[in-house]
Amino acid sequence: MSSIQAIIIIAVVILIIVVIAAMLLTNRKQLREIEVVDAALNEIENMHLENAIERLDKMDLAGESLTTLNTWRKSYVEASTKKLPKVQKLIEEAANENTSYKLFKSRKNIKQAQEIIKPTLEDARNTKAVFTELLESNKENQIRYDALIKVYRELRKSVLAGSFEYGDAIDQIEDQLASMERDFEEAKNLSSQGDHVEAKRVLSKIRMSLGALQKRLPKIKEAYHQLAVVFQDQLKELSNVYKKMISEKYYITDIDVLARIKEIHDEIDQACKLLAETKVEDLDQANKKISGEIDQLYDVLAKEYKARPFVEKNQNKMLTLIAHQQAASKKLVEKLQHIDESYELTHGELEKSKELEQEVNNMNRQYTVDTQSIADGKGVYSAIQDSWLQMLDRLREIDQEQAKMSTDVDGLYDSENVANDSIKRFKQEVSLVYRRLERRNLPGNPDSFVQMYTLVVNEIGHVSDELSQVRINMEKISSELIQISDDVERLKREADDIINSANLVELTMQYSNKYADKDTMKQAQKRALQLFDEFNYKEALDIIATALEKAEPGSYQRLENAYYSEQKNE
């Protein structure tokens, strides 16, 4: 046997094995599927739906219950007489064919059986559920009926016993109770006739109506209590309190209280119509609105009632404070008028003081109006309280403003004395500077110093003239004195620079004689002397110091240090 033949034989054997294995697997798979279909048949058979139908027939169902029974009975009969026998036949054939390994035929029968059994099983299960519900509906309905009728009777008893607590709503409530009574009778009749499905629907309707009424009754009771008792008592109280307050000379302008009470009574009448119609949500909103309006009336009366003690307690105090501030305002105006004769009041103090005096006088006039209104019984205490509280705050502010203004102008006298003393001191300091330069016996003074000296002397003279005027501006003078002080200090520094430069020129000239034989030094000395005679002391110092530094580096710095050290010690 050749190798090719051997391979072919092996391949054939393997193929046979694979085919046999596939057939075995398919056989087992289809066997399991047959068992599943058979289990479904058994499940439907074990439901014993025919027994349930027999029991239901004995219940003499009617109406919707009977219609439901007939619908599902038809479904069951069709399944039991046609579908299930066909499925049974298909799986028996499939089982035989599967055993004989007629796998394709078996597969076809199994598939047909599966297509029939799946919806049939689902229908059977639904049918069982419906039959079970029908069988138990009578019992369940009776339990529901008993529970609901008990609640209904207790509720009706409670409503009738306390009918006065619901006001005009009692008619609607009794109508709803009567409607439920009729529903109970209908449910009872339907059950006795065997229409348990319809009876269940009616009982569900009763349950919802009963639950809704149970929730609404407390709200209706509370709303009626507010309308008939709470609001009426409050409006009566408001009316009595208001009339008493008027007799005690309270005066209210914000609102016409009695007219507002009448309007609220009208709103209560409208709310009572909502009550009669048992419109609970609308009634709740109406009552909230009425309650808020009544609270507003209470607030108005309470505001006036609380304000009166404050007004009565502070009436004399207000008079004292206003009178005191009037006197202080008048005194300040007179003081400023007197000061204005001698000083210029540059910040409008006099005008401001007159404005404040007028403001206080206006307060006094308003106070007079308020007290007269109180005496006439037409004083609105809350408005007067607000007005007086504002007055008190403003009087404190005015008092502080006037005190500051008085303190500020009081300083004008001191400022004038300080200014005169400053002018005397500046004159002395300038005179000392000038005499100091004269004692130095210099050829003359530089133009810059002369100009600065002249400026300072003129400034001092100008301010001195201003201080001698009948009416002076101290603010302007104070500013000018600051400038003079700066200029005097500059003049002093200028004089110091002149004297120090002149002294250093002489010292440097003397020291430079060591190098007088040098032409550059001779020329520098000649030029420095020329500038010195022309009063250019700083430039003369620069010329000779530069020449000396070239001849002997560091020598001028030593001379300068020694000179300032000696000046410091002196």
Side-chain angles (χ1 to χ4, degrees):
M1 182 182 296
S2 66
S3 58
I4 294 175
Q5 291 176 331
I7 293 171
I8 292 172
I9 292 171
I10 293 171
V12 169
V13 171
I14 293 172
L15 179 60
I16 293 170
I17 294 171
V18 169
V19 170
I20 293 172
M23 290 176 68
L24 289 171
L25 292 173
T26 301
N27 178 272
R28 291 180 183 179
K29 177 176 179 294
Q30 292 184 166
L31 180 60
R32 286 194 297 272
E33 291 174 346
I34 291 169
E35 290 173 348
V36 169
V37 174
D38 190 54
L41 288 171
N42 291 332
E43 181 181 344
I44 294 172
E45 183 180 355
N46 292 333
M47 290 179 185
H48 300 295
L49 295 177
E50 67 282 358
N51 295 337
I53 292 172
E54 184 178 349
R55 290 169 59 194
L56 288 169
D57 285 337
K58 291 179 181 179
M59 289 175 63
D60 295 327
L61 298 177
E64 186 65 27
S65 298
L66 182 58
T67 301
T68 302
L69 171 61
N70 290 335
T71 299
W72 290 97
R73 186 209 305 269
K74 182 179 178 181
S75 174
Y76 168 72
V77 169
E78 183 181 0
S80 61
T81 58
K82 295 180 181 180
K83 295 180 180 179
L84 296 180
K86 185 176 182 180
V87 171
Q88 185 66 47
K89 181 180 178 182
L90 287 170
I91 62 168
E92 287 177 356
E93 291 178 357
N96 292 330
E97 289 165 349
N98 197 57
T99 303
S100 304
Y101 283 91
K102 297 177 181 179
L103 300 179
F104 291 106
K105 289 183 178 181
S106 178
R107 172 77 263 164
K108 182 178 179 181
N109 289 331
I110 291 171
K111 186 176 181 181
Q112 288 181 6
Q114 287 174 332
E115 290 174 351
I116 296 171
I117 198 63
K118 184 176 181 181
T120 303
L121 177 61
E122 185 176 351
D123 286 346
R125 287 171 177 170
N126 291 334
T127 301
K128 181 181 179 181
V130 170
F131 287 174
T132 301
E133 184 178 358
L134 287 171
L135 288 167
E136 294 178 356
S137 60
N138 185 37
K139 182 179 179 181
E140 289 179 358
N141 285 349
Q142 188 60 49
I143 293 172
R144 286 185 183 180
Y145 182 92
D146 292 342
L148 289 172
I149 197 70
K150 180 180 179 182
V151 173
Y152 166 78
R153 286 169 179 168
E154 290 176 354
L155 183 64
R156 190 171 190 279
K157 180 181 178 182
S158 173
V159 168
L160 295 177
S163 59
F164 62 90
E165 296 178 325
Y166 301 99
D168 293 340
I170 190 63
D171 292 339
Q172 280 279 347
I173 295 171
E174 288 182 346
D175 287 346
Q176 293 174 32
L177 289 170
S179 176
M180 279 186 267
E181 183 81 37
R182 289 191 293 272
D183 288 339
F184 274 114
E185 188 64 27
E186 182 182 2
K188 185 176 181 181
N189 291 336
L190 288 169
S191 293
S192 64
Q193 293 169 7
D195 194 350
H196 304 295
V197 172
E198 187 62 18
K200 181 178 179 181
R201 184 191 65 78
V202 174
L203 288 171
S204 296
K205 175 187 172 185
I206 293 172
R207 180 179 58 81
M208 292 179 64
S209 300
L210 196 56
L213 186 59
Q214 283 178 310
K215 290 181 180 179
R216 294 166 67 195
L217 285 177
K219 296 180 180 179
I220 293 172
K221 184 187 294 186
E222 175 60 24
Y224 174 69
H225 178 69
Q226 284 186 302
L227 292 171
V229 180
V230 177
F231 293 161
Q232 300 297 335
D233 290 347
Q234 288 176 332
L235 291 175
K236 183 178 180 181
E237 181 183 35
L238 283 168
S239 180
N240 292 336
V241 170
Y242 174 71
K243 291 175 182 177
K244 183 180 178 183
M245 290 176 71
I246 294 301
S247 69
E248 294 175 354
K249 293 189 175 182
Y250 283 90
Y251 193 64
I252 298 172
T253 59
D254 288 349
I255 189 172
D256 187 337
V257 176
L258 294 180
R260 193 73 191 91
I261 288 174
K262 184 178 182 304
E263 291 173 0
I264 295 174
H265 274 298
D266 292 340
E267 292 181 29
I268 291 174
D269 291 341
Q270 293 299 318
C272 286
K273 293 180 181 180
L274 296 174
L275 176 71
E277 297 170 0
T278 64
K279 294 181 178 179
V280 176
E281 289 75 15
D282 294 341
L283 179 60
D284 181 60
Q285 292 300 317
N287 279 9
K288 285 181 179 178
K289 182 173 180 289
I290 292 170
S291 179
E293 292 169 349
I294 291 175
D295 288 342
Q296 286 180 341
L297 285 179
Y298 272 112
D299 291 342
V300 169
L301 299 185
K303 183 180 179 183
E304 296 306 316
Y305 188 79
K306 291 177 182 178
R308 185 168 185 168
F310 171 86
V311 173
E312 292 175 345
K313 179 181 177 181
N314 291 282
Q315 187 167 341
N316 292 332
K317 179 181 178 182
M318 286 297 300
L319 178 62
T320 302
L321 289 173
I322 292 173
H324 168 75
Q325 205 60 47
Q326 277 185 303
S329 299
K330 182 178 180 182
K331 183 178 179 182
L332 178 61
V333 170
E334 291 174 350
K335 176 181 179 179
L336 290 174
Q337 286 175 334
H338 177 69
I339 292 174
D340 191 55
E341 295 174 358
S342 301
Y343 299 96
E344 291 184 22
L345 299 174
T346 56
H347 295 288
E349 290 87 349
L350 182 57
E351 292 76 11
K352 182 63 177 177
S353 68
K354 290 179 179 179
E355 290 175 5
L356 294 177
E357 182 184 30
Q358 183 61 45
E359 189 176 350
V360 176
N361 290 337
N362 291 339
M363 290 183 191
N364 184 60
R365 281 191 288 274
Q366 182 60 49
Y367 171 80
T368 302
V369 171
D370 292 339
T371 52
Q372 186 60 49
S373 297
I374 294 170
D376 295 340
K378 294 185 177 181
V380 182
Y381 286 104
S382 61
I384 294 172
Q385 178 182 6
D386 293 341
S387 175
W388 286 8
L389 286 171
Q390 292 177 7
M391 282 187 192
L392 288 171
D393 289 339
R394 185 59 185 145
L395 285 170
R396 280 191 288 268
E397 292 174 356
I398 289 173
D399 184 62
Q400 293 172 359
E401 286 185 62
Q402 291 177 334
K404 183 178 184 304
M405 208 180 297
S406 180
T407 301
D408 290 344
V409 297
D410 285 342
L412 291 173
Y413 297 109
D414 295 335
S415 297
E416 183 182 5
N417 292 331
V418 170
N420 282 313
D421 291 342
S422 297
I423 289 298
K424 291 178 183 177
R425 177 168 54 82
F426 291 149
K427 287 179 178 179
Q428 291 174 354
E429 290 179 355
V430 170
S431 178
L432 288 172
V433 169
Y434 193 79
R435 287 201 298 272
R436 184 181 171 206
L437 283 172
E438 283 185 334
R439 288 196 302 271
R440 184 60 180 78
N441 292 321
L442 294 172
N445 295 322
D447 290 341
S448 60
F449 175 80
V450 173
Q451 291 172 1
M452 187 66 191
Y453 174 79
T454 303
L455 172 66
V456 173
V457 169
N458 289 338
E459 287 177 338
I460 293 172
H462 175 70
V463 174
S464 182
D465 289 342
E466 287 183 329
L467 285 168
S468 65
Q469 298 296 316
V470 175
R471 191 165 176 267
I472 62 178
N473 186 332
M474 278 309 304
E475 185 173 2
K476 179 182 177 185
I477 289 172
S478 297
S479 177
E480 291 174 343
L481 288 172
I482 293 172
Q483 183 61 51
I484 292 172
S485 178
D486 292 341
D487 290 344
V488 168
E489 291 301 319
R490 286 173 56 197
L491 187 66
K492 289 179 181 179
R493 291 194 298 270
E494 184 73 17
D496 289 339
D497 287 345
I498 292 171
I499 293 171
N500 290 331
S501 295
N503 290 340
L504 284 169
V505 167
E506 292 178 351
L507 287 172
T508 307
M509 289 286 284
Q510 291 174 8
Y511 191 82
S512 68
N513 286 332
K514 290 171 60 176
Y515 306 100
D517 56 336
K518 294 183 178 181
D519 290 338
T520 54
M521 185 59 73
K522 288 178 181 180
Q523 291 175 4
Q525 287 178 337
K526 182 179 179 181
R527 179 58 182 157
L529 287 172
Q530 181 184 355
L531 292 170
F532 192 89
D533 291 337
E534 294 173 356
F535 323 141
N536 292 330
Y537 306 112
K538 294 181 182 179
E539 190 175 349
L541 179 59
D542 288 340
I543 294 295
I544 191 63
T546 301
L548 182 59
E549 278 296 305
K550 289 181 180 179
E552 185 183 335
S555 56
Y556 173 72
Q557 190 64 53
R558 290 196 301 274
L559 287 172
E560 186 180 47
N561 291 341
Y563 170 77
Y564 282 113
S565 177
E566 184 178 349
Q567 292 293 316
K568 185 177 179 181
N569 292 332
E570 290 179 357

